[in-house]
Amino acid sequence: MSDALNTKILGVGGYLPENKVTNFDLEEMMDTSDEWIKQRTGIESRHWATDEQSTSDLALEASIEAIQNSGLKKEDIDFILVASCSGDADFPGVSCFLQAKLGLGTIAALEIKQQCSGFVYGMTLADSLIKSGLYKNILLVGAELQSKGLDKTSRGRNTSVLFGDGAGAFVLSANPELDGPRVIASDLHADGRHAEELWIPAPGCALGSSRMTQEIFDQGMHFPYMNGKVVFVHAVKRMSETVRTVLDKAKMTSKEIDLFLFHQANLRINQKVGEMLELDDAQVHNTVQKFGNTTAATIPLGFKDAMEAGKIKRGDKLIFAAFGSGFTWGSVIIEY
Ligand code: ACO
């Protein structure tokens, strides 16, 4: 690793499908209520893609904006990383479809399948690739199109009301200055013993002789399953834990952090994490109310939203922290 290189966020982009779906719209589809959803999760609306859109289409919009915003030419990008668990196809990953749509020749394209923690894993990986000197300008995208994979009947109401579609992108570039914009510290974890508390089992090679049968389909095993209460408890514990760890690694305190961007699964989770870490409300930017849970797209979409609200300026210190299926979790501290 070279100590002489740091990773700077050079460009930011985000895209949300135009189609906004309110809790009242969901009341028409399943046995749920605006009151239940708002009270338990804080969510009021989310965006769902059209039938014609694919995950890589959302990723493309966010990427074009991030590249324009970075001031680079698209040909300057030398590596694509996409965090997604709701791809265009079972394989290959979104990164390959995106690379072709961007017209980026034969540069490397890599997929990260770490669900809600995907973007935090991606930040750490991109930072390592840049610090090693191997790549200079990495396009890191979080892109999710969950709405096409949800059970939108009353059977699936405990998960389908939570998710939204969208994509967010950063152009991350090598910064030769020792101080200034950089990834200051990061902390990543997984605990696969809880993999089946939040997962989509099918299609899957653990299902017997075939990855998908009519029986598997009839049982709805291709829809997300979540043990909500277990996930909630672990999310609060692990997100507060990883923030403390990453602050220790950076030898910083939470008071020195200008803004926290937590994963957005549930407003109540983030309020509890904020209480445990004794954060001021002004230090936390939440978007779950209007975007729902956009899985790996959440952190960059939150970053763009906070920028547009005038909450982020160059020189600010931020923490990104996430928790999700796997279980996976982690955090990074950056100077913007
Ligand atoms: N509308 C109305 N009623 C509902 C709905 C709904 N959408 N969903 C469930 N209910 C009902 C249940 O059937 C249950 O009814 P019952 O008491 O008659 O049996 C009741 O509401 C309570 O259900 P719970 O599941 O116990 O509700 P809970 O208070 O746990 O809240 C929630 C559910 C909001 C999902 C919560 O558990 C949660 O937020 N969990 C964590 C989510 C999370 O962090 N996900 C991680 C990221 S996702 C990823 O990584 C891909």
Side-chain angles (χ1 to χ4, degrees):
M1 294 264 179
S2 161
D3 286 336
L5 289 176
N6 275 313
T7 302
K8 175 178 184 174
I9 301 174
L10 208 59
V12 177
Y15 175 78
L16 290 158
E18 275 174 34
N19 179 28
K20 183 172 149 185
V21 179
T22 66
N23 294 344
F24 298 104
D25 295 325
L26 296 182
E27 285 181 4
E28 305 292 314
M29 298 177 207
M30 62 189 85
D31 179 17
T32 190
S33 67
D34 173 59
E35 193 192 353
W36 190 97
I37 302 169
K38 254 197 327 231
Q39 197 226 330
R40 303 277 176 140
T41 71
I43 300 169
E44 292 170 27
S45 60
R46 71 289 289 142
H47 294 253
W48 281 358
T50 62
D51 291 353
E52 292 69 35
Q53 286 179 307
S54 68
T55 317
S56 62
D57 289 334
L58 313 190
L60 179 66
E61 298 287 345
S63 301
I64 290 170
E65 187 179 55
I67 295 168
Q68 272 171 0
N69 187 247
S70 72
L72 297 179
K73 297 191 294 292
K74 69 174 183 177
E75 292 73 22
D76 296 325
I77 302 294
D78 54 8
F79 199 98
I80 297 178
L81 265 175
V82 177
S84 180
C85 64
S86 53
D88 289 24
D90 216 21
F91 72 79
V94 178
S95 54
C96 290
F97 292 106
L98 175 65
Q99 188 234 37
K101 284 180 181 174
L102 280 168
L104 282 183
T106 59
I107 65 166
L110 180 67
E111 207 75 2
I112 302 174
K113 203 168 182 179
Q114 295 301 78
Q115 301 66 248
C116 299
S117 311
F119 203 82
V120 170
Y121 267 73
M123 284 292 297
T124 307
L125 188 52
D127 183 43
S128 310
L129 291 170
I130 286 173
K131 283 205 169 97
S132 73
L134 271 178
Y135 296 97
K136 283 196 174 62
N137 298 307
I138 297 181
L139 175 65
L140 172 64
V141 186
E144 301 286 3
L145 204 166
Q146 298 285 6
S147 64
K148 292 191 192 185
L150 301 174
D151 181 353
K152 296 179 189 126
T153 68
S154 298
R155 178 177 71 170
R157 67 181 181 173
N158 71 322
T159 51
S160 55
V161 301
L162 305 175
F163 291 101
D165 303 334
F170 285 176
V171 172
L172 297 167
S173 294
N175 174 16
E177 290 162 27
L178 285 183
D179 290 325
R182 67 197 186 282
V183 174
I184 298 172
S186 73
D187 180 57
L188 299 179
H189 298 274
D191 186 347
R193 289 172 298 178
H194 302 290
E196 296 179 13
E197 301 288 10
L198 174 53
W199 69 324
I200 301 180
C205 294
L207 295 174
S209 61
S210 174
R211 300 172 71 230
M212 193 62 167
T213 60
Q214 188 62 47
E215 195 188 349
I216 291 168
F217 185 76
D218 291 342
Q219 287 172 7
M221 290 170 77
H222 56 300
F223 292 129
Y225 164 82
M226 177 170 71
N227 184 343
K229 286 199 180 357
V230 169
V231 175
F232 192 104
V233 170
H234 281 260
V236 171
K237 178 175 185 289
R238 294 310 195 178
M239 279 212 287
S240 40
E241 215 172 73
T242 184
V243 167
R244 287 198 183 103
T245 306
V246 84
L247 282 167
D248 281 351
K249 285 185 184 183
K251 299 187 175 53
M252 293 174 75
T253 69
S254 60
K255 302 279 173 243
E256 294 172 74
I257 302 300
D258 298 289
L259 199 68
F260 287 79
L261 291 176
F262 293 125
H263 178 58
Q264 302 285 312
N266 184 325
L267 199 56
R268 288 162 55 219
I269 293 177
N270 293 356
Q271 285 164 345
K272 284 217 178 328
V273 174
E275 277 167 31
M276 288 173 77
L277 295 168
E278 298 179 356
L279 306 180
D280 294 335
D281 287 348
Q283 282 179 289
V284 181
H285 185 70
N286 288 309
T287 52
V288 72
Q289 301 94 321
K290 53 186 182 180
F291 301 163
N293 177 356
T294 53
T295 326
T298 302
I299 302 271
L301 279 173
F303 192 98
K304 185 185 164 188
D305 194 66
M307 271 180 92
E308 286 171 354
K311 292 188 185 179
I312 300 176
K313 59 181 185 319
R314 281 283 171 204
D316 280 356
K317 311 270 192 323
L318 286 90
I319 287 189
F320 307 155
F323 176 89
S325 158
F327 291 151
T328 55
W329 65 98
S331 57
V332 292
I333 301 186
I334 63 141
E335 178 174 331
Y336 176 57

